[in-house]
Amino acid sequence: MNMTWRPMQPADLDAVMAIAAVVHVGFYERRAVFAERLALYPQGCWIARVEGGAGQAVGYAFMHPALLGQPPALDSFLEALDPQANCLYLHDVALLPAARSAGLGRALMQQLSMLMEKDGLAHAALVAVHGSAPYWRSRGFEVLADAPPALHAKLRSYDEHALYMIKPA
């Protein structure tokens, strides 16, 4: 079964919420938060689908420009993209279990690199949850050294094991 990424549309938000309810238990974000990210930076919003037939949604990704070391708090609005943004923040990635090991992560990293280059962003960043840090390390991300106390406090809004990770362009 082939699975691919395609640009997200507003009609995909129902699928996003259904996938988030399965994959991100305990990390709830309102539909309006996802809708805002899609409106502000549509080129960074992707839906993974099974090719052919009904094209069932099996995953999603939200990315947007941000300031390095200053991720938004969980379930918070951006209101606008920061004009001083210097990194591409991978806000959320979720894949249903059936979609894992299908090459979607590799394809998403290619898209991330293309967006970083297009927008002139020197780093990518993310908050690793659910013990996902080893996966992100395999994709070139490392924990930000000497993170400021404000970042540690924000990470606790995710969980006690959340890690802020960065990757150079």
Side-chain angles (χ1 to χ4, degrees), residues 61-63 88-93 108-109 112 125-127 136:
F62 288 88
M63 301 176 260
L88 185 61
Y89 182 66
L90 187 49
H91 173 80
D92 190 4
V93 177
L108 185 63
M109 289 301 97
L112 179 134
L126 58 85
V127 174
W136 293 115

Side-chain angles (χ1 to χ4, degrees), residues 83-154:
Q84 302 301 314
N86 57 1
C87 77
L88 185 61
Y89 182 66
L90 187 49
H91 173 80
D92 190 4
V93 177
L95 295 174
L96 292 174
R100 295 175 190 157
S101 300
L104 291 167
R106 191 170 37 260
L108 185 63
M109 289 301 97
Q110 290 172 343
Q111 185 62 34
L112 179 134
S113 293
M114 289 177 5
L115 283 173
M116 288 172 62
E117 183 177 338
K118 177 186 161 291
D119 290 346
L121 300 169
H123 290 88
L126 58 85
V127 174
V129 296
H130 297 307
S132 63
Y135 172 81
W136 293 115
R137 278 191 188 94
S138 77
R139 298 290 178 213
F141 286 83
E142 292 298 331
V143 174
L144 177 65
D146 302 320
L151 178 56
H152 289 293
K154 194 172 279 185

Side-chain angles (χ1 to χ4, degrees), residues 22-39:
V22 171
V23 176
H24 289 317
V25 175
F27 295 97
Y28 178 79
E29 291 193 284
R30 292 166 286 171
R31 178 188 177 104
V33 169
F34 291 122
E36 182 201 50
R37 304 272 189 298
L38 179 58

